[in-house]
Amino acid sequence: MFKAELSDSNILKTSFDAISSIVDEVQIQTDSEGMRLDALDRSHITFVHLELKASLFDEYVCDVPEKINIDTDEFMRVLKRAKSQDRVLMSVDDNNFIITFEGDATRTFKIRLIDIEYDNPTPPQIDHPTSFKVRFSILKDSINDIDIFSDKIALEVDEDYFIASADGDFGDASIKYLHGENINEHVKSLFSLEKIREMLKADKFSEEAEIRLGSDMPLSLILNMVTGDGNLSFLLAPRLESDE
Amino acid sequence: MFKAELSDSNILKTSFDAISSIVDEVQIQTDSEGMRLDALDRSHITFVHLELKASLFDEYVCDVPEKINIDTDEFMRVLKRAKSQDRVLMSVDDNNFIITFEGDATRTFKIRLIDIEYDNPTPPQIDHPTSFKVRFSILKDSINDIDIFSDKIALEVDEDYFIASADGDFGDASIKYLHGENINEHVKSLFSLEKIREMLKADKFSEEAEIRLGSDMPLSLILNMVTGDGNLSFLLAPRLESDE
Amino acid sequence: MFKAELSDSNILKTSFDAISSIVDEVQIQTDSEGMRLDALDRSHITFVHLELKASLFDEYVCDVPEKINIDTDEFMRVLKRAKSQDRVLMSVDDNNFIITFEGDATRTFKIRLIDIEYDNPTPPQIDHPTSFKVRFSILKDSINDIDIFSDKIALEVDEDYFIASADGDFGDASIKYLHGENINEHVKSLFSLEKIREMLKADKFSEEAEIRLGSDMPLSLILNMVTGDGNLSFLLAPRLESDE
């Protein structure tokens, strides 16, 4: 039996807003410690990991581990119907993932479970030379700034600055942010703007993002809840210059 | 001669927002008691009745009854241009329905009268087994919730609950609302979601809706102004299960 | 060398919102007195003139006059990325017009200069019989009101009123505004609604517009900054009745 109750739907909304734009189907795994999912997009470019600990929930019961296979778009369409003051209840029966919003009325949605053979992917272990924190708003600005001139974005960090930039035919854009961290290397990688945009839909998960970068290495973007009750992380393969 | 003056355009705006999505043309009838219209949509599924009593208006003159035949879309486009602080004046000449908004400037719109042979439909008399009140916001939530999984909505009432629900291929949705009224029957009818959506555009007419339901009977939705100065009501034919 | 620094991007945003919808390319001319541009749209219907005096800027340096030829759409896309609290810096190098927004991060955009043979047009000198001031909001309302029934707008002024009007097949609209100025003539001209809509995008330049009108003469629309630090003006050719 699995049952979880939340007083705020925003964490679910913001994380599945990003997840549903990256992968069509996921397997949510529940056990006594909480809910978890690992997924890899079809083109094997983005890996996403979500963990919501039992402590996040007002009530959480899971005596036997469950695997909940669902269509992420359907779940997102349901989550969008939550109001900020609604309590959210999640459970599962043989055929459905059941989500209930309790407010003025009780609104129950049953999303059909899907039949997927799921080899749960394991997150690649990567040893990045740099790690630093950036305000989420800086990342959002960067992709929208870059979007004027290019569909690729270079992310770069040196002793002083985190820099997002792009060269286009009609112009260049660059965003420079003084990070104030202890970094001794200068690394740079190129990424798809569109893929970064998908990840950044999770902007209400945390006000700050941890970024791990290397030269021509995947980007690791880690969002931790302030309370420590959950995290959402992404790993995005770089674009190589020869892709251009 | 017909002349009517209103200090607030919202009642007109919200009712014609619904009416113009249901019927293309209407005949507004005016007499010393007020303005009134009855209309039936082309497919004979929705009947709409609007009544605005003379007492609603700051000034109201109508010595000889008039029949004002107009295109509802044109009227709605004009009404949308009203600002909340504008006074609204309505009158009629041989060729036009004249609407004036008085604010910083005086803005006058003349909508051509149209030539329709109009057999004013009489509202069907239906004896529903149940009648109860529901907050308008509950109805709006219901159609948007149901929309995720189906284009049909079942409305149901029993001793305790008003229930809107739908079964779809990818999931189910149901909205349960404790009505707190004295109801001794359990009735249920199925309706087109789209047709209900049209009626619910009139959401600023009243915060509360009176619903009358039976089993496989038309839905009656009645909106009364708190002040008692007007009412807007709809009658919607049910969809039979064999429609599916 | 040219360098200009502004604490508020709104004047640039609002003026180029209008300018970029009228002309695709412009030549901005800078000298010690400020920035200036004159442009004529492709169909020779609208003439636009912008002047931003050196006094408008927090810092302004221009020892040698420059001609900055740019694509107005690219510039507008960059300007839209400015936040209200950002400082705006403009400069130029051999190949680029450089715009920097300074806020939480430093965001630099380089827009490629374009190669245009530019015979800078001189504004036609026209002697209008009437001149009066109108609140910008009245003009905006007028075009949106007229839009219901026509794609042409008649602008008219007499001793008492400024009147915008149109006759359409399905109805008429007219906006009457008591101008309170000393006008002794009655003049009227007809214009393209779409062309006026383009000019009115500059609605944050000034709360008031100076209008100069004649009979079947171009419309002159002049926006002056309250501080006297700049002006944006448009001259729009009339549509003759035989155009219809």
Side-chain angles (χ1 to χ4, degrees), chain B residues 43-233:
Chain B
S43 51
H44 290 217
I45 292 175
T46 311
F47 185 94
V48 56
H49 170 80
L50 172 68
E51 197 168 337
L52 300 175
K53 296 185 185 160
S55 56
L56 172 70
F57 298 90
D58 291 355
E59 209 193 312
Y60 186 90
V61 180
C62 185
D63 31 29
V64 179
E66 303 268 359
K67 291 177 194 297
I68 306 172
N69 295 334
I70 50 159
D71 181 292
T72 55
D73 279 336
E74 297 293 332
F75 188 32
M76 191 59 213
R77 290 179 75 196
V78 168
L79 286 174
K80 275 188 182 152
R81 297 295 309 144
K83 300 181 190 183
S84 53
Q85 71 275 26
D86 283 343
R87 296 190 71 73
V88 183
L89 282 70
M90 289 181 283
S91 63
V92 67
D93 67 18
D94 280 355
N95 300 311
N96 302 288
F97 184 34
I98 306 168
I99 299 103
T100 301
F101 302 129
E102 286 188 352
D104 290 339
T106 300
R107 299 148 63 210
T108 303
F109 300 86
K110 296 185 181 178
I111 303 172
R112 303 280 176 267
L113 296 179
I114 51 180
D115 216 23
I116 39 173
E117 302 235 351
Y118 211 87
D119 254 352
N120 228 345
T122 27
Q125 292 306 317
I126 292 171
D127 214 15
H128 286 94
T130 70
S131 167
F132 53 96
K133 286 180 178 162
V134 168
R135 244 179 300 151
F136 214 106
S137 59
I138 301 287
L139 291 177
K140 288 220 111 179
D141 281 347
S142 297
I143 58 161
N144 290 324
D145 288 345
I146 295 295
D147 192 37
I148 299 177
F149 296 120
S150 179
D151 60 353
K152 287 190 280 292
I153 183 171
L155 298 182
E156 186 176 351
V157 68
D158 64 16
E159 282 81 354
D160 300 315
Y161 292 101
F162 165 58
I163 302 161
S165 65
D167 294 345
D169 290 340
F170 302 107
D172 303 346
S174 82
I175 298 88
K176 246 177 134 170
Y177 177 70
L178 202 61
H179 57 59
E181 306 230 8
N182 188 13
I183 301 227
N184 303 310
E185 304 212 30
H186 179 181
V187 297
K188 182 175 179 179
S189 291
L190 194 68
F191 303 97
S192 149
L193 195 65
E194 189 48 37
K195 294 290 171 189
I196 296 212
R197 192 187 296 282
E198 290 168 356
M199 295 163 21
L200 298 191
K201 288 187 176 179
D203 62 347
K204 281 177 201 111
F205 202 91
S206 175
E207 288 194 7
E208 210 171 48
E210 185 186 334
I211 291 181
R212 294 181 188 168
L213 267 186
S215 282
D216 293 324
M217 285 177 69
L219 163 70
S220 174
L221 181 78
I222 302 161
L223 309 177
N224 288 301
M225 290 182 65
V226 191
T227 54
D229 291 330
N231 69 78
L232 174 62
S233 60

Side-chain angles (χ1 to χ4, degrees), chain A residues 135 137-138 140-142 144-149 167-178, chain C residues 71 73-74 76-83 96 101 104-114:
Chain A
R135 245 180 298 153
S137 60
I138 301 286
K140 289 221 111 180
D141 281 346
S142 297
N144 290 324
D145 288 345
I146 295 295
D147 191 38
I148 300 177
F149 295 122
D167 295 345
D169 291 339
F170 302 107
D172 304 346
S174 81
I175 299 88
K176 246 177 136 169
Y177 176 71
L178 202 61
Chain C
D71 181 293
D73 279 336
E74 297 292 332
M76 190 59 213
R77 291 179 75 196
V78 168
L79 286 173
K80 275 188 182 154
R81 298 294 309 144
K83 300 182 189 180
N96 302 288
F101 302 129
D104 290 340
T106 299
R107 300 147 63 210
T108 303
F109 300 85
K110 295 186 183 179
I111 303 173
R112 303 280 177 266
L113 295 179
I114 51 181

Side-chain angles (χ1 to χ4, degrees), chain C residues 98-219:
Chain C
I98 305 168
I99 299 104
T100 301
F101 302 129
E102 287 188 351
D104 290 340
T106 299
R107 300 147 63 210
T108 303
F109 300 85
K110 295 186 183 179
I111 303 173
R112 303 280 177 266
L113 295 179
I114 51 181
D115 216 24
I116 41 174
E117 303 234 351
Y118 212 88
D119 255 352
N120 227 346
T122 28
Q125 292 306 317
I126 292 170
D127 214 14
H128 286 94
T130 70
S131 167
F132 54 97
K133 287 181 178 161
V134 169
R135 244 180 298 151
F136 215 106
S137 59
I138 301 286
L139 292 176
K140 289 220 110 177
D141 281 346
S142 298
I143 58 162
N144 290 324
D145 287 345
I146 295 295
D147 192 36
I148 299 177
F149 295 121
S150 178
D151 61 353
K152 287 191 280 292
I153 183 170
L155 298 182
E156 186 176 351
V157 68
D158 64 16
E159 282 81 352
D160 300 314
Y161 292 101
F162 165 58
I163 302 160
S165 65
D167 295 345
D169 291 339
F170 302 107
D172 303 345
S174 81
I175 299 88
K176 246 177 135 171
Y177 177 70
L178 202 61
H179 57 60
E181 306 232 8
N182 188 12
I183 303 234
N184 302 310
E185 303 213 30
H186 178 181
V187 297
K188 182 175 180 177
S189 290
L190 193 68
F191 302 97
S192 149
L193 195 64
E194 189 48 35
K195 294 290 171 189
I196 296 213
R197 191 186 297 281
E198 290 168 356
M199 295 162 23
L200 298 191
K201 288 186 177 179
D203 62 347
K204 280 175 202 113
F205 202 92
S206 175
E207 289 195 4
E208 210 171 51
E210 184 186 334
I211 291 181
R212 294 182 186 166
L213 268 185
S215 283
D216 293 324
M217 285 176 69
L219 162 71

Side-chain angles (χ1 to χ4, degrees), chain A residues 6-243:
Chain A
L6 260 179
S7 59
D8 180 2
S9 59
N10 277 324
I11 286 297
L12 284 173
K13 259 192 208 178
T14 201
S15 46
F16 276 89
D17 200 2
I19 292 167
S20 70
S21 73
I22 295 170
V23 287
D24 297 334
E25 303 174 340
V26 288
Q27 178 171 92
I28 300 173
Q29 300 186 312
T30 70
D31 61 22
S32 60
E33 299 192 0
M35 300 175 75
R36 198 176 57 254
L37 73 82
D38 290 289
L40 186 61
D41 78 341
R42 220 177 274 261
S43 51
H44 290 216
I45 292 176
T46 311
F47 185 93
V48 56
H49 170 79
L50 173 68
E51 197 168 335
L52 300 175
K53 295 185 186 161
S55 56
L56 172 70
F57 299 89
D58 291 356
E59 208 193 313
Y60 185 91
V61 180
C62 184
D63 30 29
V64 180
E66 303 268 0
K67 291 176 194 296
I68 306 172
N69 295 335
I70 50 160
D71 181 293
T72 55
D73 279 337
E74 297 293 332
F75 189 31
M76 190 59 215
R77 291 179 74 196
V78 168
L79 286 173
K80 275 188 182 152
R81 297 295 308 145
K83 301 182 190 181
S84 53
Q85 71 276 25
D86 283 345
R87 297 190 70 74
V88 183
L89 281 69
M90 290 182 282
S91 62
V92 66
D93 67 19
D94 280 355
N95 300 311
N96 302 289
F97 184 32
I98 306 168
I99 299 103
T100 302
F101 302 129
E102 287 188 350
D104 290 339
T106 298
R107 299 148 63 211
T108 302
F109 300 86
K110 295 186 181 177
I111 304 171
R112 302 280 176 268
L113 296 179
I114 51 180
D115 215 23
I116 40 174
E117 302 234 351
Y118 211 88
D119 255 351
N120 227 349
T122 26
Q125 292 306 317
I126 292 170
D127 214 15
H128 287 94
T130 70
S131 167
F132 54 97
K133 286 181 178 163
V134 168
R135 245 180 298 153
F136 215 106
S137 60
I138 301 286
L139 292 177
K140 289 221 111 180
D141 281 346
S142 297
I143 58 161
N144 290 324
D145 288 345
I146 295 295
D147 191 38
I148 300 177
F149 295 122
S150 178
D151 60 355
K152 286 191 279 294
I153 184 170
L155 297 182
E156 187 176 352
V157 68
D158 65 16
E159 282 80 354
D160 301 314
Y161 293 101
F162 165 58
I163 303 160
S165 66
D167 295 345
D169 291 339
F170 302 107
D172 304 346
S174 81
I175 299 88
K176 246 177 136 169
Y177 176 71
L178 202 61
H179 57 61
E181 308 231 7
N182 188 12
I183 302 230
N184 302 310
E185 303 211 31
H186 179 181
V187 298
K188 182 175 179 177
S189 291
L190 194 68
F191 302 97
S192 149
L193 196 64
E194 189 48 35
K195 295 289 171 188
I196 297 214
R197 192 187 295 283
E198 290 169 356
M199 296 163 21
L200 298 191
K201 288 187 177 179
D203 62 346
K204 281 176 202 114
F205 202 92
S206 174
E207 289 194 5
E208 211 171 47
E210 185 185 333
I211 290 181
R212 294 182 186 167
L213 267 186
S215 284
D216 292 325
M217 285 176 70
L219 163 71
S220 174
L221 181 79
I222 301 161
L223 309 177
N224 288 301
M225 290 182 64
V226 191
T227 54
D229 291 330
N231 69 78
L232 174 62
S233 61
F234 303 92
L235 199 69
L236 173 68
R239 293 198 52 160
L240 303 181
E241 295 290 341
S242 58
D243 290 1

